[in-house]
Every structure is written in structure tokens, then in C-alpha cells.
Amino acid sequence: MEAVGTRKWILRSLVEIVFEDAELARVCNSGAARRDRLGPDGATTLLRRLGQMSAAHHLADLRHVAAARLRPAANGDCFTLLVSLGDHGDLVVRPRDDPPDTLDDGTLNEHAVRAVIVAAIHRP
């Protein structure tokens, strides 16, 4: 029996998070490594942001999280985005799909992005 209505909406897949390398995955997934790299407040912020990302139905949902401050990266690549960690820096993310879905104007279709690669943590 296929889910319909609200049940179908609840069962939809959420954003999948993949890390670019094993060291970054270790830092993001280990409480001790997060605290060593970002301090106690930064570790809490990173964990919260990763939770918000994984709870989103698509990347565009992060636009509704004011603290995430989803914005384009300064490197000129329109598919690389920054997710704010407040005073502790930014997560550098990009869509996992290659090439990612785009809108008619060539910009990233954030509503189609359901999997991201966390490429780095930029510290200020």
C-alpha cells in the first residue's frame, strides 16, 4: 500500500550529507574532534547546523533557518554555498549531483538538491 497525503510528506527522504574526506567526516561526527577543532560553543553550533541540514527536505529549506545564512561562496562557483556557523566560521557545501539541477537562468535549483557534500569548514 502506497503512502498518501500527510503520511507521504512525512516519509519523504531528507537531505543526505556526505563529507569530502575522512578527516572532515571524523571532525563533524565525533564530539571530541568537534570540540578540539571548534571549541565547545563551535562544536554545539556545528552539530546543530548538521542536524538542521539533515532534517531539511531540500537545500532550499535552509533559507528558512536565519542562523544558517545560506549564501554563495566567494570562489565564483555558483554551485558552492556557505552555511554559517556564526563566529566559528562556515561550512562549505555543494550539491552531490554532478551536474546539479539548474534553473532557467543557470543558478542552482536549491529545491532539487537532496544530497550535499560538505567540502570544508572555513574558520574566520
Side-chain angles (χ1 to χ4, degrees), residues 69-94:
R69 291 185 37 228
L70 186 65
R71 62 202 185 281
N75 66 359
D77 177 6
C78 65
F79 301 130
T80 302
L81 301 168
L82 300 176
V83 179
S84 178
L85 298 174
D87 295 337
H88 309 287
D90 296 298
L91 280 178
V92 179
V93 300
R94 66 178 186 273

mmCIF file with all atom_site columns, all heavy atoms in Angstrom, residues 69-94:
data_model
loop_
_atom_site.group_PDB
_atom_site.id
_atom_site.type_symbol
_atom_site.label_atom_id
_atom_site.label_alt_id
_atom_site.label_comp_id
_atom_site.label_asym_id
_atom_site.label_entity_id
_atom_site.label_seq_id
_atom_site.pdbx_PDB_ins_code
_atom_site.Cartn_x
_atom_site.Cartn_y
_atom_site.Cartn_z
_atom_site.occupancy
_atom_site.B_iso_or_equiv
_atom_site.pdbx_formal_charge
_atom_site.auth_seq_id
_atom_site.auth_comp_id
_atom_site.auth_asym_id
_atom_site.auth_atom_id
_atom_site.pdbx_PDB_model_num
ATOM 1   N N   . ARG A 1 69 ? 22.198 31.298 7.366   1.00 0.00 ? 69 ARG A N   1
ATOM 2   C CA  . ARG A 1 69 ? 22.675 32.298 6.407   1.00 0.00 ? 69 ARG A CA  1
ATOM 3   C C   . ARG A 1 69 ? 23.238 31.659 5.143   1.00 0.00 ? 69 ARG A C   1
ATOM 4   O O   . ARG A 1 69 ? 24.388 31.911 4.745   1.00 0.00 ? 69 ARG A O   1
ATOM 5   C CB  . ARG A 1 69 ? 23.719 33.206 7.050   1.00 0.00 ? 69 ARG A CB  1
ATOM 6   C CG  . ARG A 1 69 ? 23.162 34.116 8.107   1.00 0.00 ? 69 ARG A CG  1
ATOM 7   C CD  . ARG A 1 69 ? 24.152 35.119 8.677   1.00 0.00 ? 69 ARG A CD  1
ATOM 8   N NE  . ARG A 1 69 ? 25.067 35.649 7.691   1.00 0.00 ? 69 ARG A NE  1
ATOM 9   C CZ  . ARG A 1 69 ? 26.381 35.729 7.870   1.00 0.00 ? 69 ARG A CZ  1
ATOM 10  N NH1 . ARG A 1 69 ? 26.935 35.317 8.984   1.00 0.00 ? 69 ARG A NH1 1
ATOM 11  N NH2 . ARG A 1 69 ? 27.154 36.235 6.938   1.00 0.00 ? 69 ARG A NH2 1
ATOM 12  N N   . LEU A 1 70 ? 22.460 30.807 4.496   1.00 0.00 ? 70 LEU A N   1
ATOM 13  C CA  . LEU A 1 70 ? 22.875 30.139 3.263   1.00 0.00 ? 70 LEU A CA  1
ATOM 14  C C   . LEU A 1 70 ? 23.180 31.188 2.203   1.00 0.00 ? 70 LEU A C   1
ATOM 15  O O   . LEU A 1 70 ? 22.349 32.039 1.902   1.00 0.00 ? 70 LEU A O   1
ATOM 16  C CB  . LEU A 1 70 ? 21.759 29.203 2.791   1.00 0.00 ? 70 LEU A CB  1
ATOM 17  C CG  . LEU A 1 70 ? 22.063 28.310 1.606   1.00 0.00 ? 70 LEU A CG  1
ATOM 18  C CD1 . LEU A 1 70 ? 23.159 27.311 1.960   1.00 0.00 ? 70 LEU A CD1 1
ATOM 19  C CD2 . LEU A 1 70 ? 20.806 27.582 1.163   1.00 0.00 ? 70 LEU A CD2 1
ATOM 20  N N   . ARG A 1 71 ? 24.401 31.148 1.656   1.00 0.00 ? 71 ARG A N   1
ATOM 21  C CA  . ARG A 1 71 ? 24.805 32.154 0.680   1.00 0.00 ? 71 ARG A CA  1
ATOM 22  C C   . ARG A 1 71 ? 25.873 31.569 -0.242  1.00 0.00 ? 71 ARG A C   1
ATOM 23  O O   . ARG A 1 71 ? 26.512 30.585 0.099   1.00 0.00 ? 71 ARG A O   1
ATOM 24  C CB  . ARG A 1 71 ? 25.318 33.402 1.384   1.00 0.00 ? 71 ARG A CB  1
ATOM 25  C CG  . ARG A 1 71 ? 26.532 33.162 2.230   1.00 0.00 ? 71 ARG A CG  1
ATOM 26  C CD  . ARG A 1 71 ? 26.717 34.225 3.304   1.00 0.00 ? 71 ARG A CD  1
ATOM 27  N NE  . ARG A 1 71 ? 27.947 34.051 4.031   1.00 0.00 ? 71 ARG A NE  1
ATOM 28  C CZ  . ARG A 1 71 ? 28.130 33.176 5.003   1.00 0.00 ? 71 ARG A CZ  1
ATOM 29  N NH1 . ARG A 1 71 ? 27.184 32.350 5.346   1.00 0.00 ? 71 ARG A NH1 1
ATOM 30  N NH2 . ARG A 1 71 ? 29.282 33.104 5.627   1.00 0.00 ? 71 ARG A NH2 1
ATOM 31  N N   . PRO A 1 72 ? 26.065 32.194 -1.425  1.00 0.00 ? 72 PRO A N   1
ATOM 32  C CA  . PRO A 1 72 ? 27.083 31.683 -2.354  1.00 0.00 ? 72 PRO A CA  1
ATOM 33  C C   . PRO A 1 72 ? 28.500 31.892 -1.817  1.00 0.00 ? 72 PRO A C   1
ATOM 34  O O   . PRO A 1 72 ? 28.758 32.849 -1.093  1.00 0.00 ? 72 PRO A O   1
ATOM 35  C CB  . PRO A 1 72 ? 26.862 32.493 -3.632  1.00 0.00 ? 72 PRO A CB  1
ATOM 36  C CG  . PRO A 1 72 ? 25.882 33.549 -3.314  1.00 0.00 ? 72 PRO A CG  1
ATOM 37  C CD  . PRO A 1 72 ? 25.311 33.298 -1.961  1.00 0.00 ? 72 PRO A CD  1
ATOM 38  N N   . ALA A 1 73 ? 29.382 31.004 -2.172  1.00 0.00 ? 73 ALA A N   1
ATOM 39  C CA  . ALA A 1 73 ? 30.788 31.131 -1.790  1.00 0.00 ? 73 ALA A CA  1
ATOM 40  C C   . ALA A 1 73 ? 31.446 32.204 -2.641  1.00 0.00 ? 73 ALA A C   1
ATOM 41  O O   . ALA A 1 73 ? 31.001 32.499 -3.752  1.00 0.00 ? 73 ALA A O   1
ATOM 42  C CB  . ALA A 1 73 ? 31.506 29.798 -1.962  1.00 0.00 ? 73 ALA A CB  1
ATOM 43  N N   . ALA A 1 74 ? 32.529 32.763 -2.144  1.00 0.00 ? 74 ALA A N   1
ATOM 44  C CA  . ALA A 1 74 ? 33.222 33.845 -2.841  1.00 0.00 ? 74 ALA A CA  1
ATOM 45  C C   . ALA A 1 74 ? 34.140 33.333 -3.949  1.00 0.00 ? 74 ALA A C   1
ATOM 46  O O   . ALA A 1 74 ? 34.766 34.135 -4.635  1.00 0.00 ? 74 ALA A O   1
ATOM 47  C CB  . ALA A 1 74 ? 34.029 34.653 -1.833  1.00 0.00 ? 74 ALA A CB  1
ATOM 48  N N   . ASN A 1 75 ? 34.200 32.022 -4.151  1.00 0.00 ? 75 ASN A N   1
ATOM 49  C CA  . ASN A 1 75 ? 35.138 31.477 -5.139  1.00 0.00 ? 75 ASN A CA  1
ATOM 50  C C   . ASN A 1 75 ? 34.642 31.578 -6.579  1.00 0.00 ? 75 ASN A C   1
ATOM 51  O O   . ASN A 1 75 ? 35.316 31.149 -7.501  1.00 0.00 ? 75 ASN A O   1
ATOM 52  C CB  . ASN A 1 75 ? 35.480 30.024 -4.811  1.00 0.00 ? 75 ASN A CB  1
ATOM 53  C CG  . ASN A 1 75 ? 34.297 29.095 -4.948  1.00 0.00 ? 75 ASN A CG  1
ATOM 54  O OD1 . ASN A 1 75 ? 33.187 29.508 -5.263  1.00 0.00 ? 75 ASN A OD1 1
ATOM 55  N ND2 . ASN A 1 75 ? 34.534 27.817 -4.688  1.00 0.00 ? 75 ASN A ND2 1
ATOM 56  N N   . GLY A 1 76 ? 33.435 32.104 -6.791  1.00 0.00 ? 76 GLY A N   1
ATOM 57  C CA  . GLY A 1 76 ? 32.908 32.280 -8.137  1.00 0.00 ? 76 GLY A CA  1
ATOM 58  C C   . GLY A 1 76 ? 32.134 31.092 -8.667  1.00 0.00 ? 76 GLY A C   1
ATOM 59  O O   . GLY A 1 76 ? 31.496 31.180 -9.711  1.00 0.00 ? 76 GLY A O   1
ATOM 60  N N   . ASP A 1 77 ? 32.169 29.962 -7.970  1.00 0.00 ? 77 ASP A N   1
ATOM 61  C CA  . ASP A 1 77 ? 31.412 28.777 -8.375  1.00 0.00 ? 77 ASP A CA  1
ATOM 62  C C   . ASP A 1 77 ? 29.980 28.932 -7.868  1.00 0.00 ? 77 ASP A C   1
ATOM 63  O O   . ASP A 1 77 ? 29.753 28.965 -6.662  1.00 0.00 ? 77 ASP A O   1
ATOM 64  C CB  . ASP A 1 77 ? 32.059 27.526 -7.787  1.00 0.00 ? 77 ASP A CB  1
ATOM 65  C CG  . ASP A 1 77 ? 31.312 26.249 -8.100  1.00 0.00 ? 77 ASP A CG  1
ATOM 66  O OD1 . ASP A 1 77 ? 30.337 26.295 -8.875  1.00 0.00 ? 77 ASP A OD1 1
ATOM 67  O OD2 . ASP A 1 77 ? 31.706 25.197 -7.581  1.00 0.00 ? 77 ASP A OD2 1
ATOM 68  N N   . CYS A 1 78 ? 29.023 29.024 -8.781  1.00 0.00 ? 78 CYS A N   1
ATOM 69  C CA  . CYS A 1 78 ? 27.635 29.285 -8.371  1.00 0.00 ? 78 CYS A CA  1
ATOM 70  C C   . CYS A 1 78 ? 26.994 28.084 -7.686  1.00 0.00 ? 78 CYS A C   1
ATOM 71  O O   . CYS A 1 78 ? 25.895 28.190 -7.155  1.00 0.00 ? 78 CYS A O   1
ATOM 72  C CB  . CYS A 1 78 ? 26.799 29.742 -9.556  1.00 0.00 ? 78 CYS A CB  1
ATOM 73  S SG  . CYS A 1 78 ? 26.600 28.499 -10.837 1.00 0.00 ? 78 CYS A SG  1
ATOM 74  N N   . PHE A 1 79 ? 27.670 26.929 -7.669  1.00 0.00 ? 79 PHE A N   1
ATOM 75  C CA  . PHE A 1 79 ? 27.102 25.750 -7.027  1.00 0.00 ? 79 PHE A CA  1
ATOM 76  C C   . PHE A 1 79 ? 27.664 25.509 -5.627  1.00 0.00 ? 79 PHE A C   1
ATOM 77  O O   . PHE A 1 79 ? 27.182 24.647 -4.908  1.00 0.00 ? 79 PHE A O   1
ATOM 78  C CB  . PHE A 1 79 ? 27.337 24.507 -7.887  1.00 0.00 ? 79 PHE A CB  1
ATOM 79  C CG  . PHE A 1 79 ? 26.734 24.628 -9.260  1.00 0.00 ? 79 PHE A CG  1
ATOM 80  C CD1 . PHE A 1 79 ? 27.475 24.356 -10.389 1.00 0.00 ? 79 PHE A CD1 1
ATOM 81  C CD2 . PHE A 1 79 ? 25.420 25.035 -9.424  1.00 0.00 ? 79 PHE A CD2 1
ATOM 82  C CE1 . PHE A 1 79 ? 26.912 24.466 -11.648 1.00 0.00 ? 79 PHE A CE1 1
ATOM 83  C CE2 . PHE A 1 79 ? 24.849 25.156 -10.684 1.00 0.00 ? 79 PHE A CE2 1
ATOM 84  C CZ  . PHE A 1 79 ? 25.603 24.867 -11.797 1.00 0.00 ? 79 PHE A CZ  1
ATOM 85  N N   . THR A 1 80 ? 28.699 26.227 -5.242  1.00 0.00 ? 80 THR A N   1
ATOM 86  C CA  . THR A 1 80 ? 29.280 26.096 -3.910  1.00 0.00 ? 80 THR A CA  1
ATOM 87  C C   . THR A 1 80 ? 28.636 27.133 -2.998  1.00 0.00 ? 80 THR A C   1
ATOM 88  O O   . THR A 1 80 ? 28.577 28.309 -3.338  1.00 0.00 ? 80 THR A O   1
ATOM 89  C CB  . THR A 1 80 ? 30.808 26.297 -3.948  1.00 0.00 ? 80 THR A CB  1
ATOM 90  O OG1 . THR A 1 80 ? 31.367 25.334 -4.837  1.00 0.00 ? 80 THR A OG1 1
ATOM 91  C CG2 . THR A 1 80 ? 31.410 26.128 -2.574  1.00 0.00 ? 80 THR A CG2 1
ATOM 92  N N   . LEU A 1 81 ? 28.156 26.669 -1.844  1.00 0.00 ? 81 LEU A N   1
ATOM 93  C CA  . LEU A 1 81 ? 27.451 27.548 -0.908  1.00 0.00 ? 81 LEU A CA  1
ATOM 94  C C   . LEU A 1 81 ? 28.114 27.500 0.458   1.00 0.00 ? 81 LEU A C   1
ATOM 95  O O   . LEU A 1 81 ? 28.800 26.535 0.805   1.00 0.00 ? 81 LEU A O   1
ATOM 96  C CB  . LEU A 1 81 ? 25.988 27.109 -0.783  1.00 0.00 ? 81 LEU A CB  1
ATOM 97  C CG  . LEU A 1 81 ? 25.177 27.111 -2.073  1.00 0.00 ? 81 LEU A CG  1
ATOM 98  C CD1 . LEU A 1 81 ? 23.870 26.380 -1.876  1.00 0.00 ? 81 LEU A CD1 1
ATOM 99  C CD2 . LEU A 1 81 ? 24.923 28.535 -2.521  1.00 0.00 ? 81 LEU A CD2 1
ATOM 100 N N   . LEU A 1 82 ? 27.881 28.549 1.234   1.00 0.00 ? 82 LEU A N   1
ATOM 101 C CA  . LEU A 1 82 ? 28.366 28.621 2.609   1.00 0.00 ? 82 LEU A CA  1
ATOM 102 C C   . LEU A 1 82 ? 27.176 28.552 3.551   1.00 0.00 ? 82 LEU A C   1
ATOM 103 O O   . LEU A 1 82 ? 26.154 29.196 3.323   1.00 0.00 ? 82 LEU A O   1
ATOM 104 C CB  . LEU A 1 82 ? 29.118 29.928 2.843   1.00 0.00 ? 82 LEU A CB  1
ATOM 105 C CG  . LEU A 1 82 ? 30.347 30.181 1.979   1.00 0.00 ? 82 LEU A CG  1
ATOM 106 C CD1 . LEU A 1 82 ? 30.915 31.563 2.275   1.00 0.00 ? 82 LEU A CD1 1
ATOM 107 C CD2 . LEU A 1 82 ? 31.392 29.114 2.210   1.00 0.00 ? 82 LEU A CD2 1
ATOM 108 N N   . VAL A 1 83 ? 27.334 27.767 4.610   1.00 0.00 ? 83 VAL A N   1
ATOM 109 C CA  . VAL A 1 83 ? 26.340 27.675 5.671   1.00 0.00 ? 83 VAL A CA  1
ATOM 110 C C   . VAL A 1 83 ? 27.021 28.191 6.928   1.00 0.00 ? 83 VAL A C   1
ATOM 111 O O   . VAL A 1 83 ? 28.053 27.668 7.348   1.00 0.00 ? 83 VAL A O   1
ATOM 112 C CB  . VAL A 1 83 ? 25.853 26.222 5.870   1.00 0.00 ? 83 VAL A CB  1
ATOM 113 C CG1 . VAL A 1 83 ? 24.847 26.147 7.002   1.00 0.00 ? 83 VAL A CG1 1
ATOM 114 C CG2 . VAL A 1 83 ? 25.262 25.669 4.586   1.00 0.00 ? 83 VAL A CG2 1
ATOM 115 N N   . SER A 1 84 ? 26.463 29.216 7.528   1.00 0.00 ? 84 SER A N   1
ATOM 116 C CA  . SER A 1 84 ? 27.104 29.894 8.645   1.00 0.00 ? 84 SER A CA  1
ATOM 117 C C   . SER A 1 84 ? 27.165 29.038 9.906   1.00 0.00 ? 84 SER A C   1
ATOM 118 O O   . SER A 1 84 ? 26.209 28.348 10.261  1.00 0.00 ? 84 SER A O   1
ATOM 119 C CB  . SER A 1 84 ? 26.356 31.190 8.965   1.00 0.00 ? 84 SER A CB  1
ATOM 120 O OG  . SER A 1 84 ? 26.940 31.823 10.083  1.00 0.00 ? 84 SER A OG  1
ATOM 121 N N   . LEU A 1 85 ? 28.308 29.123 10.574  1.00 0.00 ? 85 LEU A N   1
ATOM 122 C CA  . LEU A 1 85 ? 28.479 28.558 11.904  1.00 0.00 ? 85 LEU A CA  1
ATOM 123 C C   . LEU A 1 85 ? 28.657 29.697 12.910  1.00 0.00 ? 85 LEU A C   1
ATOM 124 O O   . LEU A 1 85 ? 29.266 29.523 13.957  1.00 0.00 ? 85 LEU A O   1
ATOM 125 C CB  . LEU A 1 85 ? 29.689 27.620 11.949  1.00 0.00 ? 85 LEU A CB  1
ATOM 126 C CG  . LEU A 1 85 ? 29.632 26.392 11.053  1.00 0.00 ? 85 LEU A CG  1
ATOM 127 C CD1 . LEU A 1 85 ? 30.954 25.631 11.097  1.00 0.00 ? 85 LEU A CD1 1
ATOM 128 C CD2 . LEU A 1 85 ? 28.476 25.493 11.442  1.00 0.00 ? 85 LEU A CD2 1
ATOM 129 N N   . GLY A 1 86 ? 28.145 30.865 12.570  1.00 0.00 ? 86 GLY A N   1
ATOM 130 C CA  . GLY A 1 86 ? 28.264 32.036 13.436  1.00 0.00 ? 86 GLY A CA  1
ATOM 131 C C   . GLY A 1 86 ? 29.695 32.516 13.504  1.00 0.00 ? 86 GLY A C   1
ATOM 132 O O   . GLY A 1 86 ? 30.396 32.579 12.487  1.00 0.00 ? 86 GLY A O   1
ATOM 133 N N   . ASP A 1 87 ? 30.162 32.818 14.714  1.00 0.00 ? 87 ASP A N   1
ATOM 134 C CA  . ASP A 1 87 ? 31.528 33.318 14.914  1.00 0.00 ? 87 ASP A CA  1
ATOM 135 C C   . ASP A 1 87 ? 32.589 32.252 14.656  1.00 0.00 ? 87 ASP A C   1
ATOM 136 O O   . ASP A 1 87 ? 33.775 32.551 14.640  1.00 0.00 ? 87 ASP A O   1
ATOM 137 C CB  . ASP A 1 87 ? 31.698 33.819 16.349  1.00 0.00 ? 87 ASP A CB  1
ATOM 138 C CG  . ASP A 1 87 ? 30.821 35.018 16.649  1.00 0.00 ? 87 ASP A CG  1
ATOM 139 O OD1 . ASP A 1 87 ? 30.423 35.717 15.691  1.00 0.00 ? 87 ASP A OD1 1
ATOM 140 O OD2 . ASP A 1 87 ? 30.538 35.254 17.836  1.00 0.00 ? 87 ASP A OD2 1
ATOM 141 N N   . HIS A 1 88 ? 32.164 31.015 14.462  1.00 0.00 ? 88 HIS A N   1
ATOM 142 C CA  . HIS A 1 88 ? 33.095 29.900 14.333  1.00 0.00 ? 88 HIS A CA  1
ATOM 143 C C   . HIS A 1 88 ? 33.441 29.564 12.893  1.00 0.00 ? 88 HIS A C   1
ATOM 144 O O   . HIS A 1 88 ? 34.215 28.649 12.652  1.00 0.00 ? 88 HIS A O   1
ATOM 145 C CB  . HIS A 1 88 ? 32.524 28.681 15.045  1.00 0.00 ? 88 HIS A CB  1
ATOM 146 C CG  . HIS A 1 88 ? 32.100 28.991 16.442  1.00 0.00 ? 88 HIS A CG  1
ATOM 147 N ND1 . HIS A 1 88 ? 32.998 29.215 17.465  1.00 0.00 ? 88 HIS A ND1 1
ATOM 148 C CD2 . HIS A 1 88 ? 30.878 29.194 16.966  1.00 0.00 ? 88 HIS A CD2 1
ATOM 149 C CE1 . HIS A 1 88 ? 32.343 29.506 18.558  1.00 0.00 ? 88 HIS A CE1 1
ATOM 150 N NE2 . HIS A 1 88 ? 31.057 29.504 18.290  1.00 0.00 ? 88 HIS A NE2 1
ATOM 151 N N   . GLY A 1 89 ? 32.857 30.284 11.925  1.00 0.00 ? 89 GLY A N   1
ATOM 152 C CA  . GLY A 1 89 ? 33.195 30.061 10.527  1.00 0.00 ? 89 GLY A CA  1
ATOM 153 C C   . GLY A 1 89 ? 32.000 29.659 9.685   1.00 0.00 ? 89 GLY A C   1
ATOM 154 O O   . GLY A 1 89 ? 30.862 30.005 9.985   1.00 0.00 ? 89 GLY A O   1
ATOM 155 N N   . ASP A 1 90 ? 32.277 28.912 8.638   1.00 0.00 ? 90 ASP A N   1
ATOM 156 C CA  . ASP A 1 90 ? 31.247 28.486 7.686   1.00 0.00 ? 90 ASP A CA  1
ATOM 157 C C   . ASP A 1 90 ? 31.518 27.052 7.246   1.00 0.00 ? 90 ASP A C   1
ATOM 158 O O   . ASP A 1 90 ? 32.671 26.638 7.136   1.00 0.00 ? 90 ASP A O   1
ATOM 159 C CB  . ASP A 1 90 ? 31.273 29.368 6.429   1.00 0.00 ? 90 ASP A CB  1
ATOM 160 C CG  . ASP A 1 90 ? 30.927 30.804 6.713   1.00 0.00 ? 90 ASP A CG  1
ATOM 161 O OD1 . ASP A 1 90 ? 29.806 31.058 7.171   1.00 0.00 ? 90 ASP A OD1 1
ATOM 162 O OD2 . ASP A 1 90 ? 31.787 31.680 6.464   1.00 0.00 ? 90 ASP A OD2 1
ATOM 163 N N   . LEU A 1 91 ? 30.439 26.336 6.955   1.00 0.00 ? 91 LEU A N   1
ATOM 164 C CA  . LEU A 1 91 ? 30.542 25.053 6.268   1.00 0.00 ? 91 LEU A CA  1
ATOM 165 C C   . LEU A 1 91 ? 30.499 25.333 4.780   1.00 0.00 ? 91 LEU A C   1
ATOM 166 O O   . LEU A 1 91 ? 29.646 26.093 4.319   1.00 0.00 ? 91 LEU A O   1
ATOM 167 C CB  . LEU A 1 91 ? 29.359 24.153 6.610   1.00 0.00 ? 91 LEU A CB  1
ATOM 168 C CG  . LEU A 1 91 ? 29.378 23.398 7.915   1.00 0.00 ? 91 LEU A CG  1
ATOM 169 C CD1 . LEU A 1 91 ? 28.081 22.613 8.072   1.00 0.00 ? 91 LEU A CD1 1
ATOM 170 C CD2 . LEU A 1 91 ? 30.554 22.461 7.982   1.00 0.00 ? 91 LEU A CD2 1
ATOM 171 N N   . VAL A 1 92 ? 31.390 24.757 4.027   1.00 0.00 ? 92 VAL A N   1
ATOM 172 C CA  . VAL A 1 92 ? 31.388 24.882 2.577   1.00 0.00 ? 92 VAL A CA  1
ATOM 173 C C   . VAL A 1 92 ? 30.685 23.634 2.035   1.00 0.00 ? 92 VAL A C   1
ATOM 174 O O   . VAL A 1 92 ? 31.141 22.515 2.280   1.00 0.00 ? 92 VAL A O   1
ATOM 175 C CB  . VAL A 1 92 ? 32.822 24.975 2.019   1.00 0.00 ? 92 VAL A CB  1
ATOM 176 C CG1 . VAL A 1 92 ? 32.809 25.090 0.508   1.00 0.00 ? 92 VAL A CG1 1
ATOM 177 C CG2 . VAL A 1 92 ? 33.564 26.144 2.654   1.00 0.00 ? 92 VAL A CG2 1
ATOM 178 N N   . VAL A 1 93 ? 29.567 23.836 1.339   1.00 0.00 ? 93 VAL A N   1
ATOM 179 C CA  . VAL A 1 93 ? 28.789 22.707 0.821   1.00 0.00 ? 93 VAL A CA  1
ATOM 180 C C   . VAL A 1 93 ? 28.530 22.887 -0.668  1.00 0.00 ? 93 VAL A C   1
ATOM 181 O O   . VAL A 1 93 ? 28.536 24.000 -1.179  1.00 0.00 ? 93 VAL A O   1
ATOM 182 C CB  . VAL A 1 93 ? 27.445 22.525 1.564   1.00 0.00 ? 93 VAL A CB  1
ATOM 183 C CG1 . VAL A 1 93 ? 27.662 22.280 3.033   1.00 0.00 ? 93 VAL A CG1 1
ATOM 184 C CG2 . VAL A 1 93 ? 26.530 23.703 1.357   1.00 0.00 ? 93 VAL A CG2 1
ATOM 185 N N   . ARG A 1 94 ? 28.306 21.753 -1.340  1.00 0.00 ? 94 ARG A N   1
ATOM 186 C CA  . ARG A 1 94 ? 27.922 21.782 -2.745  1.00 0.00 ? 94 ARG A CA  1
ATOM 187 C C   . ARG A 1 94 ? 27.009 20.586 -3.006  1.00 0.00 ? 94 ARG A C   1
ATOM 188 O O   . ARG A 1 94 ? 27.061 19.598 -2.268  1.00 0.00 ? 94 ARG A O   1
ATOM 189 C CB  . ARG A 1 94 ? 29.134 21.787 -3.658  1.00 0.00 ? 94 ARG A CB  1
ATOM 190 C CG  . ARG A 1 94 ? 29.960 20.553 -3.635  1.00 0.00 ? 94 ARG A CG  1
ATOM 191 C CD  . ARG A 1 94 ? 31.128 20.646 -4.628  1.00 0.00 ? 94 ARG A CD  1
ATOM 192 N NE  . ARG A 1 94 ? 31.828 19.398 -4.704  1.00 0.00 ? 94 ARG A NE  1
ATOM 193 C CZ  . ARG A 1 94 ? 32.811 19.045 -3.901  1.00 0.00 ? 94 ARG A CZ  1
ATOM 194 N NH1 . ARG A 1 94 ? 33.225 19.864 -2.967  1.00 0.00 ? 94 ARG A NH1 1
ATOM 195 N NH2 . ARG A 1 94 ? 33.387 17.868 -4.034  1.00 0.00 ? 94 ARG A NH2 1
#
